[in-house]
Amino acid sequence: MKAESAKGSGELNMVWQPLDIGATQVRNRTMMTAMGVFYGEDHILSDRHIAYYRARAKGGVGLMITEQQAGHRLSKGSFFAGCTAWEKRAIPQYEKLADAVHAEGARQFVQLFGCGVHDKGTMILDEWHPLWGISDIPSVVHREIPRVMGKTELADIAKGFGEAANNVKHAGLDGVELHAAHSYLFGQVLSPAYNTRTDEYGGSTAKRCRLIVDVAEEIRARVGDDFTLGIRLSYDEYLGEAGITPEQADEQVEILTATGCFDFFNITRGSYHTLHMAIPPMGSPHGGYQEFGQRARKITGNRAKIFLVGRVTGLHEAETVLESGAADMVAMTRAQFADPELVNKTREGRTDEIIHCVAANECVARIFDNRPATCLVNPATGRETRWGPGTLESVTPKEKKKIVIVGGGLGGMKTAAVASARGHEVVLLERSIELGGHINLLKRLPSRSEWQLAIDDLTGAMNRGGVTIKLGFEADTNSILAETPDCAVIAAGARWRLDGVSPFRPGVSGIDGLDQEHVIDISSATERALDDPASLGQSVVILDEIGTFLPLGLADLLSQQEGINVEIITPDPMVGMEAQKTLDSYHLLPRLVAAGVKLTTQQNLRAVEGRDVVSGFSWGGPERRVQDIDTIIVAMLREPVDALYHALEGMINERHLLGDALAPRKPVQVMYEAEELGRAI
Ligand SMILES: Cc1cc2nc3c(=O)[nH]c(=O)nc-3n(C[C@H](O)[C@H](O)[C@H](O)COP(=O)(O)O)c2cc1C
Ligand code: SF4
């Protein structure tokens, strides 16, 4: 399915059907799989969590599964704010969650997980511990060598999960899911990549399933049959024979179904080594991992229900998945992280109001940084009490202002949308003939077309608020004052610096040679490459000190042309440090390398001498010289475009600087600020 089908059309039928999953009846076939948001306080669910889940229940979703919760005492330390289900003190917040979600007609399961080796044994000050591994292979990320579990530890794990499931049941929630995917504890147990045991817990698929069978039997012994239990499985780890293959996953489903313990199988894919397959970034196909759902369904028959996930972004896509027979429940996880009302907006024919997830994976990048997850396109996510549905306050006729906003990038558009929805009169002036600002450039790069959805959504919101949009309009103080505004917002963005000043070169006030004609900034270079790639010549060097998608995307575009040699030089330890956190690098870097792009790391720029780029190892040492470059592209610092704001001093009662024009930052920060300002004016 293509991204465009996210908007969809046609009849929805299957998606509205209720379903029995074990002891649980859900009102429709839509769901959210577990998503670690890390709003926990003192390692239990917070009121912020509850407001977040309540908003989605109110928005119409049938079933939600909480973020991963530790099923055992050693498992909450993989993320700093990770929560426990194992401790009794988790119960009161679970009770609150059950009340909140049930009051809105949805159902809520808890995902129980163990970290295994994907943990940090020193995360929590008073709970340092050696990691428990199924074998002695450490995490490729954390690299702590674990203690290999013996019979006592394995039995302790089963006991812990039984206790945790019992806590969830006791609190009145609807069921639990064992997280056996994405290389967490039970994923490690199932995968030959981690489980190299030769006793009764390793050596064959059946033996690798044994701990999970022990755990499931313990849970059933504690909670009985009238409580829903399921499991999440990765159908392919994309490690070849080294990891779980679809054939092994088939066997797992057969073995686990035969236990009679499981009411559902929640099918996903990917591992810690291949997280980009688990949480597909922008440009990935839509429509769920249907092949895997179908395989699992063939095995379970009517013995268990199948849940399926994978870049399903709207109910029409979900309907198609249900029609294909690949699933009983369809997850739209990030899609509902972005818009809690996705289901109800669709049901009520308000699809134009949907805020679409564009798979920019800012939510993922944030949790990799050990920060609570937020959404780039919707600043209200995670801030439901403050900004969630129903919190926008209209202005009285007396409070109504005329606001002129200069700049039609994300920040300007979002402020215009929010302020106009409150009843202000808003005029937006944009220099270019298109809305979108910096995003307009990104969206034209390979794999980035979904950015257009973000522009369309904000344009729609501005239109609903009656914003007057003037494109191709170069604003100055006169034209702003001619609108007789009560308030001006300058959101004119930022420009690239070409002086070579950089935090990588303390004390250096500039780099010689950057003022030559064949040295250009990354945005200008991308514009030129999009129009005529050959205009950049045959040899191109990108000096990348930002690590985001843009330099990689430009290299991707250029490398698809015949006869252009591209080298990316960065002082960072790897190319695309930020793009790795959004999982874009995993797709992009192999493509770049295959296309012959040279990736040079830990090289700090020293000079540009004519057509030569001179750099040196970041920590000192001899120089490196790349010769005869046709175009040298600079992606370093940016500076605010704020002259208009200063020029308006004393001319207008109220003026604001917004977004990159205030300080050049990430779009997610700009959107936050825009929401805040749109509500404050
Ligand atoms: C920020 C973030 C955190 C996630 N945390 C979990 C988790 O705790 N447990 C889990 O099984 N999957 C987790 N996932 C994977 C999602 O459940 C889901 O499989 C993935 O986002 C793909 O589905 P989607 O395209 O509908 O978003 C997470 C995904 C994201 C984006
Ligand atoms: S941050 Fe990006 S990927 Fe995550 S939900 Fe929001 S739009 Fe989707």
Side-chain angles (χ1 to χ4, degrees):
M1 280 183 220
K2 287 214 169 102
E4 286 67 30
S5 67
K7 292 191 168 174
S9 60
E11 283 286 299
L12 292 175
N13 176 21
M14 293 184 74
V15 89
W16 302 129
Q17 305 303 315
L19 181 74
D20 290 323
I21 308 160
T24 308
Q25 185 172 74
V26 292
R27 61 182 165 186
N28 62 45
R29 306 301 185 91
T30 67
M31 66 175 291
M32 281 183 85
T33 50
M35 186 163 169
V37 290
F38 303 112
Y39 306 147
E41 286 168 16
D42 195 21
H43 306 292
I44 56 173
L45 288 187
S46 64
D47 287 349
R48 186 184 294 274
H49 267 117
I50 291 165
Y52 157 78
Y53 289 119
R54 181 194 285 118
R56 280 142 189 90
K58 193 169 184 182
V61 70
L63 172 69
M64 291 178 289
I65 303 184
T66 63
E67 72 176 16
Q68 54 193 26
Q69 309 275 291
H72 180 263
R73 67 190 163 86
L74 295 188
S75 286
K76 60 181 186 261
S78 147
F79 291 92
F80 186 68
C83 289
T84 172
W86 174 78
E87 293 168 57
K88 285 262 176 291
R89 67 191 182 91
I91 294 176
Q93 284 300 90
Y94 283 160
E95 285 172 343
K96 247 182 164 177
L97 176 64
D99 289 347
V101 168
H102 291 162
E104 302 296 349
R107 295 289 173 262
Q108 181 85 51
F109 297 163
V110 168
Q111 184 179 62
L112 299 180
F113 99 121
C115 303
V117 295
H118 291 306
D119 191 2
K120 303 176 186 81
T122 56
M123 176 66 99
I124 300 170
L125 268 181
D126 291 316
E127 296 184 26
W128 285 21
H129 58 271
L131 306 185
W132 286 8
I134 192 69
S135 300
D136 60 359
I137 297 169
S139 159
V140 65
V141 180
H142 309 304
R143 302 189 205 175
E144 271 182 64
I145 296 173
R147 173 179 179 203
V148 179
M149 287 187 281
K151 295 271 164 56
T152 313
E153 288 81 12
L154 292 167
D156 200 52
I157 293 281
K159 212 164 150 244
F161 277 79
E163 181 72 19
N166 198 40
N167 289 344
V168 174
K169 182 179 181 191
H170 190 81
L173 286 160
D174 302 290
V176 291
E177 169 183 270
L178 294 181
H179 191 356
H182 309 155
S183 309
Y184 283 109
L185 175 64
F186 296 131
Q188 291 155 34
V189 167
L190 289 175
S191 173
Y194 295 90
N195 186 343
T196 57
R197 295 174 84 106
T198 51
D199 63 1
E200 59 269 49
Y201 290 94
S204 68
T205 301
K207 288 179 176 176
R208 287 192 292 270
C209 285
R210 172 147 183 192
L211 177 64
I212 292 173
V213 175
D214 291 350
V215 169
E217 286 172 351
E218 174 70 21
I219 290 177
R220 280 289 174 218
R222 295 296 302 272
V223 301
D225 290 333
D226 62 340
F227 187 65
T228 308
L229 169 63
I231 186 163
R232 191 159 208 212
L233 296 175
S234 276
Y235 232 83
D236 193 342
E237 290 194 305
Y238 299 95
L239 299 173
E241 292 299 319
I244 297 168
T245 60
E247 290 69 31
Q248 284 177 34
D250 286 345
E251 265 189 87
Q252 292 166 12
V253 173
E254 179 51 55
I255 291 162
L256 297 174
T257 306
T259 64
C261 289
F262 294 102
D263 299 306
F264 67 87
F265 288 84
N266 183 357
I267 305 302
T268 177
R269 65 180 197 187
S271 70
Y272 237 66
H273 290 87
T274 56
L275 274 179
H276 60 298
M277 301 306 283
I279 311 176
M282 192 185 293
S284 307
H286 284 222
Y289 316 136
Q290 291 187 33
E291 179 206 337
F292 299 144
Q294 257 141 6
R295 288 176 82 130
R297 141 90 75 237
K298 220 166 150 191
I299 296 161
T300 59
N302 57 12
R303 293 180 292 171
K305 300 296 189 289
I306 303 295
F307 300 175
L308 199 64
V309 73
R311 201 74 193 111
V312 181
T313 57
L315 272 73
H316 290 88
E317 285 182 13
E319 181 80 10
T320 309
V321 175
L322 291 167
E323 279 169 359
S324 78
D328 299 294
M329 294 290 292
V330 183
M332 290 162 279
T333 301
R334 284 170 296 171
Q336 291 175 94
F337 191 67
D339 193 336
E341 299 180 286
L342 174 70
V343 175
N344 280 350
K345 283 179 181 173
T346 309
R347 185 198 294 277
E348 293 159 12
R350 295 188 287 131
T351 47
D352 287 353
E353 295 176 30
I354 290 170
I355 303 172
H356 292 91
C357 165
V358 296
N361 273 353
E362 181 61 34
C363 46
V364 183
R366 284 193 53 89
I367 67 167
F368 285 157
D369 274 346
N370 238 319
R371 299 180 216 204
T374 58
C375 178
L376 191 157
V377 296
N378 188 358
T381 293
R383 304 180 179 104
E384 282 72 18
T385 307
R386 186 176 166 205
W387 287 345
T391 59
L392 202 65
E393 284 180 13
S394 298
V395 289
T396 62
K398 230 174 127 189
E399 292 166 334
K400 180 173 173 169
K401 290 179 184 167
K402 180 165 185 189
I403 304 168
V404 170
I405 297 177
V406 178
L410 289 182
M413 287 196 286
K414 184 71 180 168
T415 308
V418 175
S420 64
R422 291 177 54 225
H424 288 305
E425 180 186 350
V426 181
V427 178
L428 185 132
L429 310 175
E430 165 55 42
R431 187 172 58 166
S432 144
I433 51 160
E434 268 185 304
L435 290 167
H438 178 62
I439 300 301
N440 266 323
L441 195 60
L442 283 176
K443 79 180 188 202
R444 292 164 67 200
L445 288 168
S447 80
R448 298 291 104 172
S449 62
E450 284 181 86
W451 276 119
Q452 185 62 44
L453 284 171
I455 299 172
D456 290 348
D457 290 348
L458 288 169
T459 308
M462 287 196 295
N463 288 338
R464 287 194 296 280
V467 175
T468 304
I469 300 167
K470 298 187 182 178
L471 298 177
F473 193 103
E474 183 77 54
D476 57 19
T477 49
N478 288 337
S479 55
I480 292 171
L481 295 176
E483 296 283 349
T484 60
D486 303 300
C487 168
V489 176
I490 307 303
R495 67 174 82 82
W496 294 98
R497 287 173 64 168
L498 266 179
D499 53 11
V501 170
S502 162
F504 290 101
R505 292 178 287 279
V508 176
S509 59
I511 291 279
D512 289 340
L514 289 177
D515 53 355
Q516 302 176 80
E517 212 172 294
H518 61 283
V519 180
I520 52 177
D521 70 78
I522 183 83
S523 289
S524 310
T526 308
E527 296 274 9
R528 268 174 57 180
L530 285 163
D531 290 343
D532 176 15
S535 70
L536 296 178
Q538 293 183 331
S539 59
V540 172
V541 161
I542 303 174
L543 297 169
D544 176 11
E545 297 192 358
I546 57 176
T548 60
F549 181 89
L550 183 56
L552 303 186
L554 173 59
D556 194 20
L557 177 75
L558 292 174
S559 68
Q560 290 172 17
Q561 314 296 318
E562 271 298 301
I564 303 183
N565 295 314
V566 183
E567 177 171 356
I568 302 177
I569 300 178
T570 179
D572 280 327
M574 68 172 288
V575 166
M577 292 267 283
E578 295 299 318
Q580 190 207 15
K581 293 180 197 163
T582 55
L583 306 175
D584 287 304
S585 290
Y586 297 86
H587 288 284
L588 256 177
L589 293 185
R591 197 156 75 220
L592 295 185
V593 171
V597 174
K598 197 164 176 190
L599 307 178
T600 304
T601 60
Q602 299 195 76
Q603 283 291 317
N604 201 347
L605 182 67
R606 292 186 182 169
V608 172
E609 294 175 0
R611 297 199 168 275
D612 294 359
V613 173
V614 182
S615 62
F617 180 58
S618 295
W619 316 111
E623 75 174 36
R624 175 179 185 270
R625 183 175 288 265
V626 191
Q627 292 175 308
D628 292 330
I629 305 304
D630 293 324
T631 305
I632 297 165
I633 298 167
V634 176
M636 295 181 187
L637 298 184
R638 291 181 296 155
E639 61 191 2
V641 177
D642 56 4
L644 252 183
Y645 173 81
H646 297 298
L648 282 170
E649 188 169 2
M651 295 184 180
I652 189 164
N653 282 342
E654 187 180 347
R655 68 196 164 119
H656 302 274
L657 258 182
L658 175 77
D660 288 347
L662 177 62
R665 285 154 297 158
K666 288 177 118 185
V668 68
Q669 287 166 280
V670 172
M671 289 288 276
Y672 172 90
E673 215 163 271
E675 178 88 40
E676 194 171 46
L677 182 61
R679 285 170 182 259
I681 294 175

